């Protein structure tokens, strides 16, 4: 009943709410039920004074059960990363990365990419590599690029070239040292 009252277009269409959410709703940014962390995330991004919403999300990330805990952790990691607060984001990354329920609500690679980035920015390269080995993170260009960040220069360029070649882009070659100023391209 929450889904239908929150999304009257679904009620008007006479569609089964669970079927709609599974097939379309999650892609449209709809939520299956009321979730306090979602409300606080919306508040966090929509007010000038975000301190109260931030504090509520922190409370949920530490004290709530699932799915509130993992969603609050995801929202906090996103917020903190947007400000470059990588060390503070470390506080919440574990709850986000190892939740069995988060994937039911956030059905894309964002949490894995963010978790990898947080570990990478904090120079926790073994933890970043663990994120890459998570079987829930499906193969993608983002995952390939993240993995390349842990490789040496030639292997890094090889990974990037695999993506470029798949997309009919000019591949890169190392002219001297692998800096952006010294890269050249060749047609596929």
């Amino acid at each position: 009943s929450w889904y239908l009252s929150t999304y009257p277009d679904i009620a008007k269409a006479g569609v089964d709410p669970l079927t709609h959410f599974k097939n379309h709703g999650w892609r449209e940014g709809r939520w299956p039920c009321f979730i306090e962390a979602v409300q606080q995330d919306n508040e966090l991004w929509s007010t000038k004074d975000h301190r109260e919403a931030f504090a509520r999300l922190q409370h949920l990330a530490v004290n709530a059960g699932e799915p509130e805990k993992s969603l609050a952790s995801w929202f906090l990691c996103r917020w903190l990363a947007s400000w470059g607060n990588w060390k503070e984001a470390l506080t919440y990354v574990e709850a986000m990365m190892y939740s069995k329920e988060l994937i039911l609500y956030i059905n894309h690679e964002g949490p894995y990419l963010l978790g990898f980035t947080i570990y990478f920015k904090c120079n926790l390269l073994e933890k970043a590599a663990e994120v890459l080995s998570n079987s829930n993170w499906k193969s993608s260009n983002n995952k390939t690029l993240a993995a390349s960040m842990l490789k040496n220069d030639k292997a890094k360029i090889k990974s990037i070239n695999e993506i470029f070649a798949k997309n009919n882009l000019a591949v890169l070659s190392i002219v001297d040292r692998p800096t952006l100023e010294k890269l050249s391209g060749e047609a596929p």
Side-chain angles (χ1 to χ4, degrees):
S1 96
W2 179 90
Y3 195 82
L4 295 176
S5 65
T6 303
Y7 308 116
D9 58 318
I10 304 307
K12 188 175 179 180
V15 178
D16 174 65
L18 182 59
T19 302
H20 180 270
F21 179 76
K22 285 181 176 179
N23 294 335
H24 308 287
W26 70 271
R27 283 189 197 101
E28 297 168 352
R30 299 178 195 242
W31 296 95
C33 58
F34 175 78
I35 301 171
E36 176 69 20
V38 172
Q39 183 175 336
Q40 295 309 316
D41 182 56
N42 291 336
E43 182 82 13
L44 184 68
W45 291 95
S46 64
T47 63
K48 273 186 169 181
D49 187 1
H50 63 272
R51 289 176 293 189
E52 193 173 317
F54 187 82
R56 286 188 194 134
L57 281 170
Q58 286 178 307
H59 177 78
L60 291 170
V62 173
N63 300 306
E66 290 297 340
E68 298 283 0
K69 180 182 188 106
S70 57
L71 283 167
S73 296
W74 157 243
F75 297 144
L76 286 165
C77 283
R78 249 183 14 182
W79 174 264
L80 292 164
S82 76
W83 293 98
N85 294 335
W86 304 108
K87 296 274 188 214
E88 192 175 351
L90 271 175
T91 306
Y92 307 102
V93 73
E94 295 285 326
M96 176 186 75
M97 290 304 311
Y98 300 106
S99 166
K100 302 244 187 264
E101 289 198 29
L102 185 63
I103 197 168
L104 301 173
Y105 297 90
I106 308 296
N107 197 2
H108 56 72
E109 67 182 327
Y112 306 107
L113 188 56
L114 181 56
F116 173 88
T117 304
I118 292 167
Y119 289 133
F120 186 82
K121 292 284 191 175
C122 292
N123 204 30
L124 297 170
L125 303 183
E126 287 182 20
K127 296 293 270 178
E130 282 179 29
V131 175
L132 291 170
S133 67
N134 187 317
S135 62
N136 290 321
W137 190 1
K138 306 298 181 222
S139 181
S140 69
N141 289 344
N142 285 327
K143 188 174 184 179
T144 301
L145 288 172
S148 78
M149 294 168 69
L150 300 177
K151 295 179 179 177
N152 66 32
D153 298 334
K154 289 183 181 185
K156 187 177 298 212
I157 296 296
K158 183 180 178 190
S159 294
I160 293 169
N161 280 337
E162 287 172 15
I163 294 171
F164 282 18
K166 275 194 292 190
N167 292 286
N168 294 320
L169 297 171
V171 295
L172 304 172
S173 60
I174 299 173
V175 175
D176 184 31
R177 286 191 55 217
T179 62
L180 290 177
E181 295 80 25
K182 296 185 180 188
L183 292 176
S184 68
E186 298 173 7

